Amino acid sequence: MKFLPGACDHDSKACVIAAEILAQGKGLPVDVPKAADFYKRGCDGGILVACANEASMRYSGEGGVTVDKNRARALFEKTCGPEMLDNCHNAATMMQSGEGGAEDKTKARSLFDMACSGAYLQACVAGGAMYLGGLGGGEDKAKAKGYFEKACDGKTADGCFNLGVLYGSGNGVTKDLDKSQQYFQKGCELGNKKSCETLDQLKADLEKAKAPAPKPIKGKK
């Protein structure tokens, strides 16, 4: 660290090394805000991993870093690509809600598409929900179903839950309560609490529907 700050002025890699030392406390006390500043210098020097690390820090404010949602969003978008599909998802999530800048549902959906096509499965869930509701573009329930299936097949619990809801309500698919229960069961097994609760309620409702109607009580003449 005696030499890295000066080297950082001439070589962006030195900035990243300094940031890692400070972020991890390698031989020095941890100083996350200072690490974020070095990552910024590395990012400004064209090193994408530095941009990605700074983005996470600016978004969360970890370790006392000054939160800057606008910069975090810009950096998530900048680093979105095949090697960092999670940042495509992060940028899309912020764009969808208008966090860190203007709301842009159309661009959000395109970034969810990119991340889902690269098998970042949580993006398939979020993107599917946008297609289902016609957010950021035309409604496409078949595509929404396909996205949820891809997520569920990849053991993403939210995808299974959403499929359970689709088949339970008949939204864009033929209503099928057996399939609905199967997807809720899978979502529950994968740790989705809503799937467990909805499955229990659905089973209770079906049992109630099967129960014979109570015989009318005859009154006295």
Side-chain angles (χ1 to χ4, degrees), residues 124-144:
C124 299
V125 177
M130 294 194 81
Y131 279 105
L132 187 66
L135 302 174
E139 183 182 275
D140 190 335
K141 293 185 178 182
K143 192 160 189 175

Side-chain angles (χ1 to χ4, degrees), residues 46-131:
I47 299 180
L48 286 183
V49 70
C51 301
N53 288 337
E54 188 199 350
S56 297
M57 290 176 169
R58 299 293 180 201
Y59 183 84
S60 67
E62 64 176 280
V65 173
T66 300
V67 172
D68 187 341
K69 295 289 181 73
N70 293 72
R71 181 165 174 82
R73 172 169 154 173
L75 293 180
F76 283 140
E77 184 179 2
K78 181 177 181 177
T79 55
C80 166
E83 301 301 318
M84 298 187 199
L85 293 172
D86 55 333
N87 283 353
C88 302
H89 179 265
N90 292 339
T93 301
M94 296 183 79
M95 289 173 183
Q96 183 181 10
S97 64
E99 186 178 17
E103 187 179 283
D104 190 340
K105 294 188 186 301
T106 302
K107 196 166 189 178
R109 188 157 90 167
S110 71
L111 291 181
F112 282 135
D113 282 338
M114 185 187 300
C116 179
S117 66
Y120 190 81
L121 298 180
Q122 200 59 46
C124 299
V125 177
M130 294 194 81
Y131 279 105

Side-chain angles (χ1 to χ4, degrees), residues 172-218:
V173 297
T174 301
K175 188 172 182 177
D176 188 329
L177 295 182
D178 287 335
K179 276 190 176 181
S180 179
Q181 289 184 80
Q182 289 169 15
Y183 282 119
F184 284 138
Q185 181 67 47
K186 187 171 181 179
C188 181
E189 290 170 357
L190 290 170
N192 184 285
K193 186 178 178 182
K194 290 188 295 183
S195 289
C196 304
E197 294 170 350
T198 309
L199 178 61
D200 288 342
Q201 185 61 55
L202 180 56
K203 286 180 176 179
D205 290 344
L206 290 172
E207 286 299 317
K208 188 175 180 180
K210 289 178 183 177
K215 294 180 180 180
I217 300 173
K218 294 181 179 180

